[in-house]
């Protein structure tokens, strides 16, 4: 027999548990061993090429012994790369799937009320892979080298779990296997089981099989990542459950028991050392992965990026950790200590985010940061609950969108990519989305995207993240913080613009500020309420509550600076003011700042104040104006017009002042772009909603969520008289709905038609009474200066008059001496008008 140094090696992973199908080993017959002089381990060689270091010392066998008798007979096991010159292209994509993970079920299932975390989730994905020809199953043709190579799951060990969780957490989960079904549920009250009394389980069900299934799920994630790092497959898709990204250090949450992805990360870092030192975890589940963030928050070698629905910390998991501290899925949580910058949250403030928003986030944030981080392994926490059709997510990412994101991530870490299933609760959606990801991993190009234009809200959310993360990642190319440059002197543009507005409106319409006593009075409230001088007279009064004007700029493409000559101010609201003044309306113009400038402004970047806060402020301001200026004047009509938060203020004012509003308001006109829609319904006045419908006009942007929620239902009267605008931006809406038969100004004219007719009649009567008899107006005569030769000065000529009207001295009989208006005469230095020349 040959020496031991030249013997073949059959690798043995003692921790791997055989699945329900057959046990898989990954040693090929052509692999022989050679010593590694650096660390004393054996390295396999294949066709003269060195293969990655394998785990363990290995089992030495004789050359004379048949390898076919010892190798795993599974037909779809991963095969070595076919071409040495194209090892990645000719290698297989791996697949982890174990039917036993379906044994995690509700202890007492209810057929008509299935839990969203349905055991059929993983089966739907596997069946989709088989039907699409991506994976092989018994009874079908194959397998071929183009199918996914099956990798067995195994149970995770206590030692591996405790790299992320506490020993107490492990011990508690093991106790579930000994409990009867009636011990795991409570009649009518939800979970009876308490992990940390008096705290009940958070969105989790458990059964006696749960510890085993959770162990397989975490072990499957580990083996998926190990297979990639060992070079057995080029990339891998782990179809595992229960999910894991909500599981915290000592808490089960959100359908999750073990933090699968973080456990796999720590295991690979420990096993492979420098070869797997830096790991990128990309979490595109629609929920924030609070467990992954907690496990890696202070690890500078783990970059965690999460794209998730946040809704201003109002979307699950809004209360992270057992101590119920404030949710930390916002963009401001960036890591701690040496890991500052390695935690990147991209929180969506609105639902219905789609492919274009996610691709935009990848282009602007994910890929620049990931490229700069330069990971050794990429793991996708692949929840498919942001997919179109999912009942929990409310987003509309298509299979093509997931494929494009996967394709971009495949460019990192030399293609070492592991996809681990997390959420996703629509069986059809997750099957189609997972298939698109699998096809891309196997080398197929992604399908074409239908839409590539991100939403306005999505752009704002991404830019907010860029602004925050640019402090840690220079590759984001965002302008540096301006606070130091503005330390000596600086003023926010919204204050400058309002001062300009006040000056312009005074020059054109003599509008002056109204005194407003505000408890938070700052310079941002100066000149915010401007009124025409006739606002107390008996005429129609238009009160406009609007957002600040919009600034449009084209930054310098090289420096990113915004220059004044390439910046424009769009103030469409002013055209409404001009129109109202032209038609003899009185106007009160109310500007609603999006941020209150403090007296000690530090010039730091400030986010827009919350919609709720701004709406409350606007409602208080409108109430103040009504009490002190509107109710005591003689207005014939009162019109309220509001944009965005102004709409919320108008509706809130009407509901809080039902009788006064119905008696005093002629019509309420609103323009709603991207704020929550307000309805006018009263608990005490059942006719208020009908009155509001008859006296309102509400234009809503076509992209507003209102249309998604009510597309199958007729709008009720409490919504008002609603029109769907073909526009999305507020400036475009104001311009589009100003004129026309259903426009705002047309309604104002119809509502004031009687008043204008009466005014025109009175004006005609007054004109007839004041018209002189048989005397043409002075304006019909040319006034020519006459030179006085005696004094060599110029004087005005006499006005013509009939002889019967004048006395001998040239004056009208019985009338005082009177000349033409003083402006028709030149004034001498002493200010006394000259007498007409004789």
């Amino acid at each position: 027999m040959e020496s031991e140094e030249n013997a073949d090696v059959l690798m043995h992973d003692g921790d791997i548990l055989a699945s329900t199908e057959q046990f898989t080993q990954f040693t090929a017959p052509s692999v022989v061993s050679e010593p590694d002089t650096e660390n004393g381990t054996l390295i396999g060689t294949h066709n003269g090429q060195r293969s990655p270091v394998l785990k363990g010392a290995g089992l030495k066998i004789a050359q004379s012994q048949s390898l076919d008798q010892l190798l795993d007979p599974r037909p779809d096991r991963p095969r070595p790369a076919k071409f040495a010159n194209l090892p990645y292209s000719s290698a297989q994509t791996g697949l982890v799937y174990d039917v036993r993970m379906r044994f995690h079920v509700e202890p007492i299932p209810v057929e008509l009320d299935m839990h969203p975390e349905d055991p059929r989730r993983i089966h739907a994905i596997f069946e989709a892979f088989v039907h699409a020809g991506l994976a092989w199953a018994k009874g079908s043709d194959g397998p071929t080298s183009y199918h996914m190579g099956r990798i067995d799951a195994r149970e995770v060990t206590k030692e591996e779990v405790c790299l992320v969780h506490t020993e107490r957490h492990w011990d508690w989960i093991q106790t579930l296997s000994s409990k009867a079904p009636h011990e795991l549920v409570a009649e009518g009250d939800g979970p009876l089981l308490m992990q940390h009394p008096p705290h009940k389980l958070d969105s989790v069900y458990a059964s006696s099989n749960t510890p085993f299934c959770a162990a397989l799920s975490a072990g499957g994630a580990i083996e998926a990542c190990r297979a990639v790092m060992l070079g057995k497959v080029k990339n891998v898709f782990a179809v595992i459950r229960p999910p894991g990204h909500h599981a915290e250090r000592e808490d089960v949450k959100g359908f999750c028991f073990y933090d699968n992805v973080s456990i796999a990360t720590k295991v690979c870092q420990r096993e492979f050392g420098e070869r797997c030192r830096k790991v990128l975890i990309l979490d595109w589940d629609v929920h924030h992965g609070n467990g992954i963030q907690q496990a890696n928050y202070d690890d500078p070698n783990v970059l965690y990026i999460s794209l998730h629905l946040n809704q201003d910390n109002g979307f699950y998991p809004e209360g992270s950790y057992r101590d119920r501290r404030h949710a930390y899925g916002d963009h401001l949580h960036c890591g701690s200590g040496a890991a500052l910058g390695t935690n990147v949250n991209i929180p969506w403030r609105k639902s219905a985010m789609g492919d274009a928003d996610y691709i935009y986030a990848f282009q602007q944030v994910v890929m620049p940061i990931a490229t700069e981080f330069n990971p050794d392994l990429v793991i996708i926490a692949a929840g498919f609950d942001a997919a179109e059709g999912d009942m929990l997510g409310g987003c509309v990412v298509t299979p093509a969108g997931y494929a494009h994101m996967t394709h971009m991530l495949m460019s990192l870490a030399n293609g070492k990519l592991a996809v681990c299933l997390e959420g996703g609760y629509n069986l059809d959606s997750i099957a189609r989305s997972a298939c698109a990801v699998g096809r891309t991993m196997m080398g197929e190009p992604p399908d074409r995207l239908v839409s590539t234009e991100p939403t306005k809200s999505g752009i704002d959310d991404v830019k907010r993240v860029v602004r925050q993360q640019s402090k840690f990642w220079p590759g984001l190319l965002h302008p540096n913080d301006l606070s130091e440059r503005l330390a000596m002197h600086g003023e926010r543009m919204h204050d400058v613009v309002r001062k300009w507005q006040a000056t312009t409106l005074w020059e054109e319409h003599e509008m002056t500020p109204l005194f407003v006593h505000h408890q938070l009075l700052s310079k941002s409230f100066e000149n915010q309420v401007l009124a025409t001088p006739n606002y107390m007279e008996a005429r129609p009064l238009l009160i406009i509550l609007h957002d600040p004007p919009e600034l449009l700029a084209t930054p310098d493409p090289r420096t990113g600076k915004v220059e004044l000559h390439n910046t424009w101010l769009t103030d469409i609201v002013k055209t409404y003011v001009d129109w109202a003044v032209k038609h003899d309306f009185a106007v009160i113009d109310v500007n609603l700042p999006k941020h209150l400038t403090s007296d000690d402004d530090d010039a730091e970047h400030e986010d827009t104040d919350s919609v709720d806060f701004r709406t409350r402020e606007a409602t208080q301001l409108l109430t103040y104006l009504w009490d002190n200026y509107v109710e005591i004047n003689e207005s014939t009509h009162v019109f309220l017009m509001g944009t965005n938060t102004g709409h919320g203020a108008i509706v809130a004012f009407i509901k809080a002042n039902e009788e006064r509003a119905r008696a005093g308001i002629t019509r309420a006109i609103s323009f709603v772009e991207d704020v929550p829609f307000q309805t006018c319904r009263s608990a005490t006045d059942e006719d208020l909603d009908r009155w509001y419908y008859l006296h309102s006009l509400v234009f809503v942007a076509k992209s507003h969520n209102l249309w998604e929620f009510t597309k199958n239902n007729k709008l009720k009267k409490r919504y008002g008289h609603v029109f769907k605008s073909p526009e999305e931006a507020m400036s475009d809406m104001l311009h589009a709905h100003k004129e026309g038969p259903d426009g705002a100004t047309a309604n104002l004219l119809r509502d004031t038609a009687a008043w204008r007719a009466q005014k025109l009649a009175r004006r005609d009567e007054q004109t007839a009474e004041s018209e002189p008899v048989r005397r043409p107006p002075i304006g019909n005569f040319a006034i020519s200066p006459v030179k006085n030769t005696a004094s060599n000065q110029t004087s005005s000529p006499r006005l013509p008059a009939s002889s019967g009207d004048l006395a001998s001295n040239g004056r009208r009989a019985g009338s005082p001496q009177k000349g033409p208006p003083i402006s028709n005469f030149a004034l001498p230095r002493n200010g006394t008008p000259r007498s007409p020349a004789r």
Side-chain angles (χ1 to χ4, degrees):
M1 190 172 69
E2 296 183 9
S3 63
E4 291 184 351
E5 286 74 17
N6 296 326
D8 287 333
V9 177
L10 176 65
M11 305 312 300
H12 175 67
D13 288 330
D15 294 334
I16 297 181
L17 179 70
S19 73
T20 53
E21 302 193 24
Q22 285 183 325
F23 180 63
T24 303
Q25 290 289 353
F26 303 98
T27 306
S30 58
V31 176
V32 298
S33 64
E34 65 180 25
D36 183 356
T37 58
E38 296 181 2
N39 52 27
T41 60
L42 294 176
I43 303 177
T45 60
H46 177 66
N47 296 332
Q49 301 293 324
R50 290 165 62 92
S51 62
V53 178
L54 302 181
K55 178 184 178 184
L59 174 66
K60 300 181 186 302
I61 60 175
Q63 287 279 7
S64 59
Q65 190 173 4
S66 174
L67 290 173
D68 293 336
Q69 298 174 3
L70 299 175
L71 292 175
D72 173 43
R74 175 193 288 279
D76 58 344
R77 67 185 183 274
R79 294 172 171 81
K82 187 174 182 179
F83 300 110
N85 293 334
L86 297 172
Y88 184 84
S89 300
S90 58
Q92 287 178 284
T93 292
L95 172 64
V96 174
Y97 172 72
D98 195 315
V99 70
R100 293 173 297 175
M101 296 184 202
R102 296 176 62 187
F103 298 166
H104 168 60
V105 295
E106 294 181 85
I108 304 179
V110 180
E111 182 179 358
L112 299 179
D113 186 21
M114 290 293 295
H115 193 279
E117 212 287 281
D118 190 331
R120 295 174 296 175
R121 295 170 59 242
I122 59 173
H123 179 71
I125 294 176
F126 179 71
E127 286 295 308
F129 284 170
V130 172
H131 290 314
L134 308 183
W136 177 82
K138 291 182 179 180
S140 59
D141 294 337
T144 68
S145 59
Y146 294 101
H147 286 102
M148 292 180 172
R150 289 288 295 278
I151 300 168
D152 281 294
R154 64 169 173 87
E155 288 187 86
V156 70
T157 66
K158 179 178 180 179
E159 179 188 7
E160 291 168 333
V161 168
C162 290
L163 293 174
V164 173
H165 300 282
T166 65
E167 185 175 354
R168 182 186 178 191
H169 183 79
W170 164 271
D171 292 339
W172 180 85
I173 290 179
Q174 303 316 304
T175 65
L176 301 178
S177 60
S178 62
K179 294 186 180 295
H182 70 274
E183 296 181 274
L184 301 176
V185 295
E187 296 294 336
D189 294 330
L192 171 66
L193 200 62
M194 296 183 182
Q195 186 179 17
H196 303 289
H199 301 289
K200 294 182 179 181
L201 300 186
D202 180 0
S203 303
V204 171
Y205 67 80
S207 69
S208 58
N209 292 321
T210 295
F212 175 68
C213 295
L216 277 182
S217 184
I222 292 173
E223 289 308 309
C225 295
R226 288 189 66 246
V228 173
M229 292 306 303
L230 290 170
K232 299 172 182 178
V233 291
K234 61 182 178 183
N235 49 43
V236 62
F237 199 128
V239 185
I240 55 178
R241 70 173 289 270
H245 73 149
H246 291 312
E248 295 175 355
R249 185 173 294 113
E250 203 172 75
D251 280 282
V252 296
K253 294 172 68 75
F255 316 154
C256 304
F257 292 85
Y258 295 134
D259 184 356
N260 304 324
V261 166
S262 295
I263 293 173
T265 297
K266 304 301 183 185
V267 169
C268 287
Q269 285 179 321
R270 184 180 65 171
E271 178 177 349
F272 298 102
E274 285 299 310
R275 291 177 52 207
C276 189
R277 181 170 61 89
K278 294 193 295 182
V279 179
L280 163 62
I281 302 175
L282 189 285
D283 187 348
W284 65 40
D285 190 284
V286 80
H287 303 93
H288 176 241
N290 52 292
I292 300 178
Q293 177 166 310
Q294 184 194 41
N296 303 284
Y297 202 64
D298 57 356
D299 188 346
N301 290 319
V302 178
L303 172 61
Y304 176 58
I305 304 178
S306 176
L307 302 95
H308 55 271
L309 191 59
N310 182 259
Q311 294 181 341
D312 294 323
N313 292 328
F315 194 72
Y316 187 89
E318 66 278 5
S320 295
Y321 301 137
R322 178 160 26 100
D323 58 10
R324 292 300 180 188
R325 72 186 67 176
H326 192 268
Y328 72 166
D330 58 37
H331 69 291
L332 299 176
H333 286 82
C334 306
S336 63
L340 196 61
T342 59
N343 195 88
V344 182
N345 287 322
I346 305 175
W348 304 123
R349 287 179 288 182
K350 293 177 60 176
S351 59
M353 309 306 285
D355 293 344
D357 299 298
Y358 277 78
I359 298 302
Y360 181 74
F362 262 66
Q363 293 170 339
Q364 297 293 317
V365 178
V366 175
M367 294 309 296
I369 292 179
T371 302
E372 192 170 342
F373 180 71
N374 192 21
D376 302 309
L377 172 66
V378 178
I379 305 176
I380 301 178
F384 293 108
D385 40 7
E388 55 181 351
D390 190 274
M391 70 285 280
L392 295 184
C395 291
V396 287
V397 181
T398 68
Y402 285 115
H404 277 271
M405 290 188 284
T406 304
H407 192 258
M408 285 187 272
L409 293 172
M410 289 168 62
S411 67
L412 303 168
N414 292 327
K416 295 184 179 67
L417 173 69
V419 178
C420 296
L421 181 66
E422 291 288 351
Y425 309 102
N426 181 301
L427 299 183
D428 180 64
S429 295
I430 62 175
R432 292 189 298 108
S433 300
C435 264
V437 171
R439 285 170 56 86
T440 302
M441 294 171 65
M442 296 175 74
E444 290 297 304
D447 288 339
R448 179 178 296 178
L449 294 171
V450 175
S451 173
T452 57
E453 183 178 356
T455 62
K456 181 180 178 182
S457 175
I459 293 174
D460 291 342
D461 293 339
V462 170
K463 290 300 183 184
R464 185 170 57 166
V465 176
V466 170
R467 186 169 53 247
Q468 179 69 14
Q469 291 293 337
S470 62
K471 302 173 184 177
F472 318 112
W473 302 98
L476 292 181
L477 298 177
H478 191 271
N480 295 327
D481 186 21
L482 301 176
S483 57
E484 295 183 3
R485 296 173 57 190
L486 297 175
M488 299 299 296
H489 178 71
E491 189 169 1
R492 294 192 182 270
M493 276 302 299
H494 75 148
D495 298 322
V496 175
V497 168
R498 192 54 178 171
K499 291 176 183 177
W500 169 82
Q501 283 182 308
T503 302
T504 302
L505 292 176
W506 159 254
E507 293 175 350
E508 296 185 7
H509 305 307
E510 297 184 358
M511 297 180 70
T512 55
L514 295 182
F515 173 77
V516 176
H517 175 71
H518 196 281
Q519 59 181 356
L520 297 177
L521 186 64
S522 71
K523 63 181 180 181
S524 293
F525 274 96
E526 296 175 3
N527 303 321
Q528 298 305 311
V529 183
L530 305 175
T532 54
N534 56 358
Y535 71 91
M536 297 292 288
E537 297 179 5
R539 63 179 64 245
L541 172 64
L542 175 62
I543 303 175
I544 309 177
L545 300 96
H546 61 89
D547 293 335
E550 184 180 8
L551 281 176
L552 301 178
T554 55
D556 186 282
R558 181 177 60 86
T559 64
K561 290 184 178 180
V562 175
E563 304 287 354
L564 291 181
H565 64 278
N566 285 322
T567 305
W568 292 266
L569 179 74
T570 61
D571 189 9
I572 305 299
V573 173
K574 185 179 178 296
T575 64
Y576 282 79
V577 175
D578 297 338
W579 178 92
V581 172
K582 178 181 177 181
H583 289 81
D584 293 328
F585 283 58
V587 179
I588 297 180
D589 180 84
V590 183
N591 188 67
L592 303 175
K594 292 188 175 181
H595 168 72
L596 296 184
T597 305
S598 60
D599 294 332
D600 55 347
D601 186 17
D602 56 6
E604 292 281 354
H605 176 83
E606 298 289 349
D607 285 334
T608 299
D609 293 331
S610 69
V611 173
D612 291 341
F613 172 78
R614 293 169 55 209
T615 301
R616 288 195 302 270
E617 292 289 304
T619 304
Q620 294 177 5
L621 185 57
L622 177 57
T623 303
Y624 179 90
L625 293 176
W626 191 276
D627 293 340
N628 294 275
Y629 293 103
V630 179
E631 203 163 40
I632 62 175
N633 67 20
E634 300 180 0
S635 301
T636 59
H637 307 75
V638 176
F639 299 98
L640 300 181
M641 191 175 96
T643 66
N644 276 342
T645 52
H647 160 70
I650 292 172
V651 174
F653 172 78
I654 292 174
K655 291 193 289 187
N657 303 270
E658 298 171 3
E659 294 184 3
R660 292 199 299 169
R662 294 179 64 170
I665 297 177
T666 306
R667 186 173 296 277
I669 304 175
S670 298
F671 296 84
V672 183
E673 176 189 0
D674 55 2
V675 299
F677 194 85
Q678 304 293 329
T679 60
C680 191
R681 187 173 186 179
S682 171
T684 58
D685 187 350
E686 59 182 12
D687 292 331
L688 183 65
D689 54 352
R690 183 175 182 274
W691 173 88
Y692 179 65
Y693 177 81
L694 296 174
H695 294 81
S696 66
L697 193 64
V698 186
F699 299 100
V700 182
K702 67 177 182 180
S703 58
H704 196 279
N705 289 343
L706 174 69
W707 306 116
E708 183 68 24
F709 295 136
T710 61
K711 61 182 179 181
N712 296 325
N713 301 313
K714 182 179 180 181
L715 290 176
K716 299 183 182 300
K717 287 183 169 54
R718 65 173 179 268
Y719 287 86
H721 197 185
V722 179
F723 290 87
K724 184 176 183 179
S725 174
E727 308 295 339
E728 294 185 358
M730 179 58 67
S731 297
D732 296 333
M733 291 173 61
L734 288 168
H735 177 73
H737 301 294
K738 180 184 176 184
E739 308 290 346
D742 294 325
T745 56
N747 279 272
L748 294 177
L749 291 177
R750 282 194 289 268
D751 291 339
T752 58
W755 172 81
R756 290 183 294 106
Q758 293 176 2
K759 181 179 179 182
L760 182 60
R762 288 195 302 270
R763 182 179 298 173
D764 292 342
E765 292 176 0
Q766 293 173 358
T767 302
E769 292 176 358
S770 60
E771 187 175 317
V773 180
R774 293 192 299 274
R775 178 172 297 175
I778 288 181
N780 288 347
F781 296 87
I783 308 296
S784 302
V786 178
K787 188 127 182 178
N788 189 330
T789 55
S791 61
N792 198 26
Q793 294 179 347
T794 303
S795 62
S796 297
R798 303 182 191 181
L799 297 177
S802 61
S803 58
D805 290 337
L806 299 177
S808 58
N809 58 2
R811 295 192 300 272
R812 190 181 306 277
S815 64
Q817 184 174 359
K818 198 171 186 180
I822 200 170
S823 58
N824 288 342
F825 296 85
L827 297 180
R829 295 178 185 272
N830 59 10
T832 304
R834 300 184 184 276
S835 300
R838 294 181 180 266

